[in-house]
Each structure stands twice: as C-alpha cells, then as structure tokens.
Amino acid sequence: MITKIDHIGIAVRSLAAARVFYENVLGLQCEKIEEVASQKVRAAFFKIGDIHLELLEPTASDSPIARFIESKGEGFHHIAYKSNDIDSQLDQATEAGCKLIHEEPIIGAGDKLVAFLHPKSSHGILTEFCAEPKRTA
Ligand code: ZN
C-alpha cells in the first residue's frame, strides 16, 4: 500500500550550482549528500515537512540522469511513493498492465529499496516506489 509521497526527484547538471537556489532563494537546508552507485548519481536531499526534494546530479555520462538532461534539460524528473510492501506494489502494477523499469527492487539512496515504473505506462511521470530496507534479524 502506498503510504505517502516520499520525495520528488529533480535532475540538475550541478548540485553545487543548484543548491544556491534551494538554499539561498527558498531558504531550505541540505540534509545530506549521497552518491548512489546503482543510479550513477550524486543526490542532495532537502526536507520540507514530511517529504524530501532529491536533487540528482549525474556522476557518469551514461547515467540515466545524464541522458535525461541531454534530451529534456534540467528539471522535474520523478515522483516517489513510499510503500509498506514494495513487492506487492510491483505485483499490483504488473497485474494492472503497467510496464516496469525494475521488475525487482534495487538499492537506492539511504539503502532504501526502490523500483521505477515506465513513464509510458504512467502518463509521462516517471514513478518510483520506495520502501524501507527489509531488516534481517
Ligand atoms: Zn527517487
């Protein structure tokens, strides 16, 4: 079940340059910067109430974010919904005929489990499901 909007992903060429807007113009505070190897990005997180903005800077020319910026420019990239059960969330999407980018969750920022749906199946909005990692006792 989707429990909330977790974050909004924004593609930027340079975190250093983009931070100036979020920090100086909006007055937000950068909570942390993290490199996400699986996505070839460096991410900066800004907390607003209960949700985060996730600024994404590519770390390689074949990063999905680099390709996105090349074709569409900087800007809105994806919306992420938090799920309390990402596996059944993906099953539900598949059963409803949705095309997936990730059939199985991968490890994303903050070691969360993440999976992307295909934007062609989600009316142009790249959609991410994310969930807390499963704890092994
Ligand atoms: Zn995300």
Side-chain angles (χ1 to χ4, degrees):
M1 190 178 78
I2 287 170
T3 55
K4 64 172 226 169
I5 290 175
D6 188 78
H7 63 270
I8 293 167
I10 298 165
V12 301
R13 283 193 182 86
S14 155
L15 283 186
R19 278 180 71 167
V20 174
F21 173 79
Y22 292 92
E23 290 174 348
N24 298 357
V25 178
L26 300 188
L28 301 174
Q29 242 191 353
C30 181
E31 216 174 40
K32 61 171 179 173
I33 292 183
E34 187 182 333
E35 194 150 337
V36 186
S38 65
Q39 298 290 299
K40 296 183 181 169
V41 295
R42 194 171 298 115
F45 295 88
F46 294 83
K47 194 170 172 13
I48 304 174
D50 200 21
I51 78 164
H52 284 87
L53 297 181
E54 180 183 87
L55 303 188
L56 300 161
E57 169 194 76
T59 55
S61 56
D62 64 342
S63 159
I65 294 296
R67 291 197 299 263
F68 177 89
I69 291 172
E70 217 171 274
S71 69
K72 296 192 170 138
E74 292 185 302
F76 173 77
H77 183 257
H78 68 272
I79 187 161
Y81 299 97
K82 185 169 191 172
S83 173
N84 58 9
D85 184 346
I86 196 166
D87 293 318
S88 55
Q89 207 71 56
L90 287 170
D91 288 346
Q92 184 184 331
T94 304
E95 278 161 28
C98 181
K99 231 177 123 187
L100 307 180
I101 292 177
H102 301 112
E103 310 258 322
E104 299 286 333
I106 60 169
I107 306 293
D111 289 327
K112 281 184 183 165
L113 298 170
V114 307
F116 283 88
L117 308 184
H118 200 284
K120 280 196 177 130
S121 291
S122 48
H123 301 268
I125 301 290
L126 182 59
T127 300
E128 173 187 340
F129 292 148
C130 66
E132 296 304 324
K134 286 183 191 122
R135 316 216 180 275
T136 42

